[in-house]
Amino acid sequence: MNKYTIYSFNVKGFNIPQKRSQVFDLLRKKSPSILFMQETHFKSRKIPKLQYSAFDTWFHNCNGVHASRGVSIALKKGLAFVHSQTQYDPDGRFVFVKGKLDNISITLATVYAPNQGQVQWLTSTIQQLQLFAEGIVILGGELNVTHNPFLDSSSSRSAISFSGLSSLKVALESLHLVVVWRIHNPTTIDYTFFSHPHHSYQHIDYLFISQTHLTDVSSADIESISISDHAPICFTLQLLVFCKKAWSWRLNETLIQDDGAKLTLSGKLTNFIDNITPDIPFPVIWESHKAYIRGELIALGSAVKKRRSGETDCLLVRIFDLGENA
């Protein structure tokens, strides 16, 4: 059972050294395996070299023109992830990454939705993700919309119409995505952001996972608002990794008790020794000898098994004939 911490954070600017230092200090304490970041505010040609050794794989998407928007996915050093494909949004609002985590197909996606037309944008983005995704899907980021206004907003109201929220839920259901924190905290009230224009606390930052893997989530949390004006959110994923047992050769001891097999092996070994030259080091001779004899024993074992199988088939034919003639 391997354990992974998924962490999503709207950092509200990651291009300032002081802010990066604060975020890195937080990450050292939390030690996430996979990190989603929104509002990095990088420009495509001015992404700083991130001096943080805990993460050695980064996928950035930037606006390209203005130091706004921007999303990133970072993978912890030593994570057994094999990358296969990435998809970027030209406006710097999402990045999708897929590959294999400990030989399990997985798709990682982080989004930063606009504050206007967010339902249409999210619906379109989820449709693109559906075409891209393979295996377990983990989606995280700022949606700029409350999933359930009655629980996710202190005012119990939403600027999005009921039909708009319904269409967003339908889009999420098409990928079988569920809100991790809400499933683990069905009646708890907590928020990730304070909206000054609406004078209300809101839960607009989310982490979703494929419904079929919800049982693999052991915990989910909303942390305190400190460095940014958004609260980091996280959950712990425990995956059962099936390792294929390595094949191990064992000597068939009946071979060394068979006179014919012993004679054959003796001749093979004599032939091997006759081909040894004085310039070959003894350790090389010893290891080569073991590999050579092992191969010959495997071949002899296969031959004996084939012969015995043929004898068994002949006996079965004879038994069948005797039964027919009785």
Side-chain angles (χ1 to χ4, degrees):
M1 186 79 72
N2 289 350
K3 185 183 291 187
Y4 311 93
T5 301
I6 319 299
Y7 205 83
S8 182
F9 191 15
N10 182 323
V11 293
K12 201 66 180 292
F14 203 55
N15 53 352
I16 302 170
Q18 184 181 4
K19 174 67 76 66
R20 288 201 297 274
S21 178
Q22 292 173 334
V23 174
F24 287 154
D25 285 342
L26 177 66
L27 295 177
R28 286 187 188 97
K29 297 175 184 176
K30 304 300 179 181
S31 189
S33 311
I34 298 170
L35 171 66
F36 297 154
M37 289 198 302
Q38 304 84 44
E39 283 201 87
T40 54
H41 295 178
F42 291 149
K43 289 185 178 180
S44 59
R45 295 182 181 179
K46 293 185 178 180
I47 297 176
K49 187 175 181 180
L50 302 175
Q51 302 290 342
Y52 187 50
S53 59
F55 290 91
D56 61 353
T57 305
W58 293 83
F59 302 91
H60 299 291
N61 190 15
C62 316
N63 184 282
V65 180
H66 305 289
S68 62
R69 307 173 192 172
V71 289
S72 297
I73 295 177
L75 306 178
K76 190 175 183 179
K77 188 175 182 179
L79 195 69
F81 182 82
V82 180
H83 172 250
S84 62
Q85 192 176 349
T86 308
Q87 182 173 329
Y88 299 99
D89 168 42
D91 293 327
R93 289 194 177 274
F94 74 68
V95 58
F96 304 155
V97 176
K98 68 180 174 183
K100 289 197 172 182
L101 178 62
D102 277 320
N103 232 14
I104 299 172
S105 295
I106 191 168
T107 301
L108 308 172
T110 185
V111 300
Y112 171 55
N115 54 17
Q116 292 184 348
Q118 51 267 62
V119 171
Q120 292 83 356
W121 185 89
L122 285 166
T123 302
S124 172
T125 300
I126 292 167
Q127 288 172 351
Q128 294 179 66
L129 179 58
Q130 188 172 16
L131 295 173
F132 177 85
E134 290 180 14
I136 306 170
V137 178
I138 299 176
L139 168 65
E142 182 187 338
L143 271 59
N144 254 316
V145 60
T146 53
H147 189 256
N148 183 339
F150 297 104
L151 292 175
D152 295 342
S153 174
S154 60
S155 66
S156 299
R157 294 193 299 270
S158 173
I160 308 300
S161 66
F162 178 78
S163 61
L165 291 174
S166 297
S167 64
L168 177 57
K169 289 178 181 178
V170 169
L172 290 166
E173 287 170 1
S174 68
L175 258 176
H176 307 289
L177 294 176
V178 291
V179 182
V180 177
W181 187 85
R182 180 54 65 197
I183 295 296
H184 278 256
N185 304 272
T187 58
T188 305
I189 304 296
D190 205 351
Y191 308 107
T192 64
F193 178 71
F194 179 75
S195 173
H196 291 280
H198 298 97
H199 302 287
S200 66
Y201 287 95
Q202 299 176 350
H203 184 169
I204 58 174
D205 302 86
Y206 294 92
L207 278 166
F208 300 86
I209 194 172
S210 303
Q211 188 172 1
T212 51
H213 287 273
L214 188 59
T215 53
D216 296 326
V217 177
S218 59
S219 64
D221 296 295
I222 295 176
E223 298 186 353
S224 302
I225 297 174
S226 56
I227 300 171
S228 168
D229 56 356
H230 289 256
I233 54 177
C234 61
F235 71 83
T236 301
L237 180 67
Q238 292 181 310
L239 293 179
L240 185 61
V241 180
F242 294 95
C243 299
K244 189 176 180 180
K245 189 176 179 180
W247 178 76
S248 178
W249 177 78
R250 292 184 65 182
L251 172 64
N252 181 354
E253 295 180 1
T254 59
L255 292 176
I256 58 177
Q257 296 170 0
D258 182 86
D259 291 336
K262 284 195 289 185
L263 186 62
T264 301
L265 286 172
S266 179
K268 296 287 185 181
L269 187 55
T270 301
N271 182 59
F272 176 84
I273 294 172
D274 289 342
N275 286 283
I276 296 174
T277 57
D279 59 323
I280 302 175
F282 181 76
V284 175
I285 295 173
W286 175 245
E287 293 299 326
S288 302
H289 148 263
K290 289 195 295 182
Y292 179 77
I293 291 299
R294 187 187 300 121
E296 293 299 330
L297 285 166
I298 291 171
L300 278 172
S302 298
V304 169
K305 185 177 179 181
K306 186 176 181 181
R307 187 183 73 241
R308 288 176 179 171
S309 179
E311 291 171 353
T312 302
D313 291 339
C314 290
L315 288 172
L316 289 172
V317 170
R318 288 181 63 189
I319 292 170
F320 180 81
D321 289 340
L322 288 171
E324 289 289 312
N325 297 327

